[in-house]
Amino acid sequence: MKKDLISITDYSKEEYLKIMKLAAEFEKNPNQDILKGKVIASLFFEPSTRTRLSFETAINRLGGRVIGFVDPDSSSTTKGETLHDTIKMVSAYADLIVIRHPLEGTARYAAEISPVPVINAGDGANQHPTQTLLDMYSILKTQGTLDNMNIFMVGDLKYGRTVHSLIQAMSEFKNPIFNFIAPPELQMPKVYKLFLKEKGIRFFEHTEFTEIISEADIIYMTRVQKERFFDSIEYEKVKNMYILRNYMLKFTKPNVKILHPLPRVNEIHPDVDSNEKAYYFQQAKNGVFTRQAIIAHTMGLK
Ligand code: CP
């Protein structure tokens, strides 16, 4: 049976740990020819820098070839071809499909049509499972464990798909605590809070971004997702709500790391970049090794 990665919950805890282990191996030895003769389709219906380029780097380092598009306007979608037919065709050309799409559920739909495995590179405000695996790898590398983490998620928790996947994955580990800091308009959706309640996992909600971050092991900043707002006035109201500045880290724990899936707009002031607690650029670099691991696992090559 083919192995898709559409939601982070498609993987078990054992698979998360396997990906962490493989990622560490790829970090030590990134150039391996295990994808020789394989073609991977990269279909980006939405803009991307990190996800697309780290997938392409991962594939190139593993000796594979990439086909695809970075702009759906350059594909026959503009002539009216349906997603169904696009996936039917691409799956006849490639051994694996990586897809990003602005509509929730599109990656799952693609996986149902495609005879080759599909990896979700982000579907609307829903899920971004490969980002979550690289986030977990970053947490494991910096904290030495995935257990007992007090994770503060800040910003757009409504539309930010990366936080949705991350709480589901981290809930598989011992004693996580989540602190959600968001304006009322951008709070964590009820479905994820219900998920945590059912699992008996503690979470707290705040609207103020104050000294409470002194308890954090991880501060996970997010961008307000301008592209998902219907009303630009609503976006203007919340866009500058939380800005992390260097002085605010003075009383944080020595082990704390600042993560952000990037791109950032202004939610992390550049004066944080030189603080040793800033980890977002290394986090993005970890995306290559993690995606090498995900591809190898998906294709049964490791
Ligand atoms: N983190 C992330 O998904 O970044 P891109 O949108 O640049 O791929």
Side-chain angles (χ1 to χ4, degrees), residues 251-265:
F251 298 107
T252 53
K253 288 166 75 170
N255 64 304
V256 73
K257 289 291 178 230
I258 319 302
L259 301 186
H260 189 312
L262 303 180
R264 75 172 149 183
V265 182

Side-chain angles (χ1 to χ4, degrees), residues 13-270:
K13 182 178 179 182
E14 288 66 37
E15 284 175 300
Y16 299 151
L17 294 172
K18 179 182 171 188
I19 298 296
M20 303 297 104
K21 188 164 171 276
L22 285 179
E25 286 174 18
F26 282 119
E27 184 166 4
K28 277 197 206 107
N29 182 14
N31 298 314
Q32 304 183 29
D33 257 0
I34 59 172
L35 285 182
K36 201 169 163 51
K38 301 284 185 201
V39 175
I40 296 179
S42 166
L43 310 183
F44 277 73
F45 291 84
E46 236 190 8
S48 168
T49 296
R50 277 145 294 276
T51 309
R52 185 175 69 80
L53 295 180
S54 64
F55 259 117
E56 291 193 10
T57 304
I59 296 160
N60 281 303
R61 290 205 181 279
L62 296 178
R65 300 280 178 109
V66 184
I67 59 166
F69 50 78
V70 296
D71 177 3
D73 286 352
S74 69
S75 78
S76 286
T77 303
T78 51
K79 300 176 197 161
E81 186 163 55
T82 61
L83 183 75
H84 174 278
D85 290 2
T86 303
I87 297 297
K88 225 30 196 174
M89 290 318 311
V90 173
S91 61
Y93 305 144
D95 300 294
L96 169 71
I97 296 174
V98 176
I99 183 170
R100 169 173 286 189
H101 200 283
L103 284 182
E104 289 86 353
T106 307
R108 183 70 71 196
Y109 177 63
E112 282 165 12
I113 294 160
S114 170
V116 302
V118 174
I119 296 177
N120 181 8
D123 63 328
N126 185 32
Q127 286 264 328
H128 196 348
T130 67
Q131 176 72 43
T132 294
L133 288 160
L134 80 87
D135 293 344
M136 291 166 78
Y137 184 58
S138 302
I139 295 171
L140 184 60
K141 263 178 77 174
T142 58
Q143 308 296 323
T145 177
L146 290 164
D147 294 328
N148 305 308
M149 287 293 113
N150 191 343
I151 301 178
F152 281 61
M153 295 175 162
V154 184
D156 185 350
L157 307 185
K158 179 179 179 186
Y159 297 119
R161 56 196 172 198
T162 66
V163 291
H164 302 159
S165 305
L166 188 59
I167 59 171
Q168 289 184 313
M170 291 303 291
S171 71
E172 291 295 319
F173 294 88
K174 268 193 226 148
N175 299 323
I177 303 175
F178 295 99
N179 280 277
F180 301 139
I181 303 175
E185 300 89 333
L186 297 178
Q187 285 191 355
M188 182 61 75
K190 280 198 179 96
V191 63
Y192 294 101
K193 291 190 273 190
L194 192 62
F195 169 87
L196 292 174
K197 271 186 193 153
E198 281 174 357
K199 294 197 94 169
I201 294 172
R202 284 171 294 168
F203 67 89
F204 304 93
E205 292 187 282
H206 318 268
T207 51
E208 295 297 320
F209 186 30
T210 56
E211 62 276 3
I212 53 167
I213 60 167
S214 64
E215 298 163 24
D217 298 304
I218 295 294
I219 300 173
Y220 195 101
M221 299 297 297
T222 64
R223 173 179 68 90
V224 177
Q225 308 269 301
K226 184 179 181 184
E227 64 276 28
R228 314 226 185 273
F229 280 73
F230 293 109
D231 182 346
S232 61
I233 295 169
E234 288 301 308
Y235 170 72
E236 292 298 323
K237 259 169 48 188
V238 291
K239 70 174 187 185
N240 293 324
M241 202 79 138
Y242 307 113
I243 300 175
L244 184 67
R245 293 174 189 273
N246 197 38
Y247 76 86
M248 296 164 74
L249 296 172
K250 195 166 177 194
F251 298 107
T252 53
K253 288 166 75 170
N255 64 304
V256 73
K257 289 291 178 230
I258 319 302
L259 301 186
H260 189 312
L262 303 180
R264 75 172 149 183
V265 182
N266 60 353
E267 56 281 354
I268 302 180
H269 191 277

Side-chain angles (χ1 to χ4, degrees), residues 271-285:
D271 72 6
V272 178
D273 292 0
S274 54
N275 191 311
E276 62 178 21
K277 293 173 178 175
Y279 193 74
Y280 27 92
F281 293 121
Q282 293 98 315
Q283 176 191 2
K285 187 175 172 187

